[in-house]
C-alpha cells in the first residue's frame, strides 16, 4: 500500500521519538514527586494514589495530543484517556494517518511505583502500526521501531538482542519458552467466564508434558508484568517467546505490534480457530482485543523462522481456550 | 543477640556492596557478550544458552566465594551452585557468620535475557539475615540493607519509596494490593499437588469480591517475575504489597528478607495455620521454603502499621492453600 503522499515517515518517527522522551519525563517526574512528598501525600491511603495517577495519565495525554495536533493537524488522534473512557468503543482506525496513544500503560504498576510502566506512542497508516515508541523511564528503556528501519532498544541496540544468529523457535515449543500472560481486569467468578478460561489456559501451558490430558506445555517460565505494551516490547527483544492475551485495546498494543513485527516477530489472534492444524495465520488487527505474539525467530536446518513461529502458534492454540472479548463494529 | 566479637557489620556491608557491583558486572558482561555474538553463538538453539548460563552462574559463585574466603576466612559460605546442587539439602545455617549467596537469581530470565535477573548476597548472623545486597545490572537497580541502617535503592533512595508518610495497608486488603507470586518448577499434574494448590490460591486472590464462596480477594494486580529475590526487593520498595511463595531456598531469600525487614516489612510463613484469626505471626526462617512477605506499612488512625500487616497476613492465609515443601532437618 502506498503511503499517504503527505506522510514523511522519517519526520514522523523523529517526532515520535522526541515525544516519547518528553512524555516519559513527565511520568518519571510524577513518581519521583510522590516519593519526595511534594505530591499530594497528605492523603496517606495508597488508594488515593489512584487519583494522583489518573491526573498524571490525563496530563500526559493532553500534552501528547497538543504536540501532535500542532505538528500534524491533519492526523487523527486516539488516546486511552479521551477515547477509551468514552461510552462508544467503535473501532475508529481507518486508512488515515492516526496516532494511537496510551499515555500510561501499566497504570496499576505506576500507582504502586513498580517499574513496569511506560508511555506508548503508535502511529498507524492504512490500518497498520508503522511507528512505535515505548518509553519506560524507571527502567531507562526506550523501545522504538519504524517500518523498514528495524526495532531498537535505546536507539543503539537492535532487537532482538540475540541476533548472531537469531535463535530459531525451540523444537519442542512451548517447552523452553517464556510465556507471558496477564490476569487482566475481568475477575468475575462466572462458570467458564474469561477468568476461568484464562486460568485453564495458563495451567495447560505450565503443566508437565503429558499432563492435562496431553495439553501440558511445560513452558520454561510464566511471567505477568501488568503491561501489555511491555509484554510486546519484551517479545520484540526476544526475552518473551510467547505472549497471549485478550481484553486490551488498540492503544495498549499499537506501538508494541510495530516493535514485534519490525523485530521479525508475529502477532496473530489469541483465539484458536476450529482448524488449528491448517488455519491460515493472519496478522492481528490492532483493535481485535485478542493477541498472540511470537518472538523473532531465525531459520535453522529443519524449518524457516516463520515456520517455527507458525508451529508455535498452533501449539499455543492447542492449549488455550477461546476468550470472550468483543467490541462494537468489530 | 550480641554480634560475634569478630564481626564488624560496617566492614562486612561495605565489602558486600563492592562484591555486588563486581558480581553484577560479570552478569552484565555475560548477556552482552551473548548479544555481541562473541559468546558461543555458533550453537543457534536457544536451549544451548542454558549451558552458557550455567557456566556464568558457576563463574560468578566461584568469584564471590574466593573473594569472601580471602577476606573473611572464618566465615561460612553457602551458595546455590556449590550447595544447592549437592545431594544433601540439610539446613546448615547456625549461629556462625554465614554468607548465603545466589550468584544468579532469575536464571530462566537470564537465559532468555529478560531483565529481571540479579546476584543476591546475604550475610547471616545468629540465624538472622543482617546484610543484603541485590544487584540487577540490566535494570541498573542495586538494593541493599544492613541491620539498623535501613534499606536502599542504588545507595541513595531509601526504601520504601513512598515514605512521606509510608502508606498504611489498604483497609480492604487484599483489595488494592499488588500480589506477587511464582509458578515455580513443580509442574506435576497431580490431584491437589502444589501446582493446583498454587493456582487455586492465585484464583482466590484474584477473583471478584464475593466470588469463590467469599474467598475472592480482587487484588489490584497479579505479578510473576521469575525471581524470588526481586519479588522481595520490590516488596521492600513498596511496589508489591504481598508476595506469597513456596519452594525456594535460603540463597533465594536471605538478602531479600533483610531488605524487607530493614524497610519495615514483614516476612512470615506462606502456609496458613489452623487458627488463622489468632495465630502468632512469627518471622520466617531463611530455610523454611515457605514465605509470605508484606510491604512496609505506616500507622493510621485505625491501626498501627504492624497491625495492618498482620491483618493482611490473615486475609492472605484465609485465601491460600497449604503448600507441600519440606526439607531434611527442618
Amino acid at each position: 500500500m502506498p503511503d499517504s503522499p503527505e506522510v514523511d515517515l522519517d519526520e514522523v518517527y523523529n517526532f515520535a521519538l522526541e515525544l516519547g522522551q518528553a512524555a516519559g519525563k513527565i511520568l518519571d517526574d510524577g513518581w519521583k514527586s510522590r516519593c519526595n512528598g511534594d505530591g499530594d501525600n497528605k492523603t496517606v491511603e495508597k488508594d488515593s494514589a489512584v487519583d494522583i495517577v489518573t491526573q498524571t495519565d490525563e496530563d500526559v495525554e493532553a500534552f501528547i495530543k497538543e504536540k501532535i495536533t500542532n505538528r500534524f493537524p491533519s492526523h487523527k488522534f486516539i488516546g486511552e484517556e479521551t477515547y477509551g473512557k468514552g461510552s462508544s468503543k467503535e473501532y475508529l482506525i481507518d486508512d488515515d494517518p492516526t496516532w494511537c496513544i496510551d499515555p500510561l500503560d501499566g497504570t496499576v504498576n505506576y500507582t504502586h511505583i513498580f517499574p513496569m510502566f511506560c508511555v506508548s506512542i503508535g502511529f498507524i497508516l492504512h490500518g497498520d502500526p508503522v511507528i512505535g515508541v515505548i518509553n519506560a523511564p524507571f527502567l531507562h528503556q526506550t523501545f522504538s521501531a519504524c517500518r523498514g528501519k528495524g526495532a531498537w532498544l535505546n536507539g543503539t541496540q537492535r532487537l532482538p538482542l540475540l541476533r548472531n544468529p537469531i535463535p530459531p523457535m525451540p523444537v519442542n515449543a512451548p517447552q523452553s519458552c517464556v510465556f507471558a500472560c496477564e490476569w487482566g481486569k475481568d475477575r468475575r467468578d462466572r462458570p467458564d467466564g474469561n477468568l476461568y478460561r484464562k486460568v485453564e489456559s495458563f495451567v495447560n501451558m505450565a503443566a508437565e508434558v503429558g499432563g492435562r490430558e496431553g495439553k501440558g506445555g511445560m513452558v520454561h517460565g510464566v511471567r505477568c508484568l501488568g503491561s501489555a505494551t511491555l509484554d510486546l516490547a519484551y517479545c520484540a527483544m526476544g526475552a518473551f517467546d510467547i505472549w497471549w492475551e485478550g481484553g486490551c485495546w488498540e492503544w495498549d498494543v499499537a506501538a508494541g505490534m510495530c516493535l514485534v513485527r519490525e523485530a521479525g516477530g508475529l502477532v496473530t489472534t489469541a483465539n484458536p480457530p476450529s482448524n488449528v492444524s491448517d488455519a491460515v495465520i493472519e496478522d492481528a488487527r490492532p483493535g481485535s482485543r485478542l493477541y498472540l505474539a511470537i518472538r523473532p525467530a531465525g531459520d535453522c536446518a529443519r524449518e524457516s523462522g516463520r515456520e517455527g513461529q507458525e508451529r508455535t502458534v498452533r501449539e499455543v492454540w492447542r492449549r488455550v481456550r477461546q476468550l470472550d472479548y468483543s467490541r462494537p463494529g468489530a
Side-chain angles (χ1 to χ4, degrees), chain A:
Chain A
M1 277 175 291
D3 292 355
S4 307
E6 74 276 19
V7 175
D8 175 340
L9 274 190
D10 283 345
E11 182 193 2
V12 174
Y13 189 31
N14 286 329
F15 172 79
L17 285 166
E18 287 170 19
L19 200 54
Q21 289 311 302
K25 176 78 165 53
I26 302 175
L27 293 181
D28 209 34
D29 289 346
W31 75 262
K32 286 175 178 165
S33 150
R34 288 172 58 210
C35 292
N36 293 334
D38 49 350
D40 187 12
N41 273 14
K42 287 181 289 293
T43 48
V44 296
E45 292 285 345
K46 208 165 188 177
D47 289 1
S48 70
V50 172
D51 298 329
I52 304 170
V53 167
T54 302
Q55 189 60 51
T56 305
D57 213 343
E58 290 171 359
D59 290 348
V60 173
E61 179 153 325
F63 170 82
I64 293 175
K65 188 173 186 178
E66 189 192 359
K67 292 281 183 191
I68 290 173
T69 306
N70 286 345
R71 178 72 170 264
F72 301 108
S74 69
H75 292 182
K76 288 188 182 170
F77 180 92
I78 293 175
E80 195 259 344
E81 286 300 305
T82 44
Y83 168 77
K85 291 190 175 161
S87 54
S88 162
K89 288 289 201 307
E90 290 282 341
Y91 185 64
L92 296 177
I93 296 173
D94 54 19
D95 275 355
D96 294 335
T98 304
W99 293 82
C100 194
I101 306 291
D102 192 347
L104 172 54
D105 190 75
T107 311
V108 169
N109 292 338
Y110 192 72
T111 304
H112 296 254
I113 319 187
F114 174 59
M116 289 284 168
F117 57 84
C118 62
V119 53
S120 176
I121 297 171
F123 179 73
I124 297 180
L125 208 53
H126 304 298
D128 283 330
V130 294
I131 287 172
V133 173
I134 296 165
N135 183 1
F138 197 123
L139 300 169
H140 307 287
Q141 291 172 8
T142 297
F143 302 89
S144 63
C146 176
R147 190 171 59 193
K149 293 177 185 295
W152 299 81
L153 171 60
N154 293 334
T156 53
Q157 200 146 16
R158 189 153 185 183
L159 303 180
L161 288 176
L162 285 177
R163 50 186 306 107
N164 296 309
I166 297 174
M169 295 308 295
V171 63
N172 53 1
Q175 278 186 73
S176 309
C177 289
V178 171
F179 173 61
C181 54
E182 301 291 349
W183 288 70
K185 292 174 186 162
D186 184 354
R187 311 282 187 75
R188 288 172 293 178
D189 186 27
R190 297 203 298 199
D192 209 35
N194 279 323
L195 177 61
Y196 288 87
R197 294 180 186 198
K198 276 192 170 183
V199 170
E200 183 182 332
S201 305
F202 299 170
V203 175
N204 284 344
M205 293 294 281
E208 64 183 328
V209 172
R212 305 286 292 178
E213 297 176 336
K215 289 195 173 178
M218 194 60 198
V219 295
H220 208 184
V222 179
R223 301 290 176 266
C224 304
L225 303 184
S227 163
T229 302
L230 288 171
D231 286 331
L232 281 164
Y234 291 123
C235 280
M237 202 163 96
F240 291 165
D241 301 277
I242 300 164
W243 176 61
W244 178 79
E245 167 66 337
C248 48
W249 300 90
E250 47 269 35
W251 46 84
D252 298 312
V253 298
M257 287 172 77
C258 177
L259 255 293
V260 169
R261 288 173 181 163
E262 272 301 310
L266 174 161
V267 187
T268 186
T269 180
N271 273 2
S274 54
N275 53 336
V276 160
S277 300
D278 55 7
V280 174
I281 292 173
E282 294 179 346
D283 285 350
R285 287 173 65 199
S288 65
R289 303 197 67 200
L290 296 161
Y291 311 97
L292 170 58
I294 309 290
R295 69 157 166 88
D299 304 332
C300 64
R302 68 177 178 272
E303 66 190 355
S304 70
R306 174 76 192 193
E307 285 166 343
Q309 291 168 326
E310 294 205 353
R311 175 172 54 78
T312 306
V313 165
R314 296 183 206 284
E315 292 298 331
V316 175
W317 279 347
R318 288 192 176 97
R319 291 167 171 85
V320 296
R321 297 286 310 278
Q322 291 216 340
L323 300 175
D324 180 20
Y325 293 101
S326 60
R327 73 182 304 153

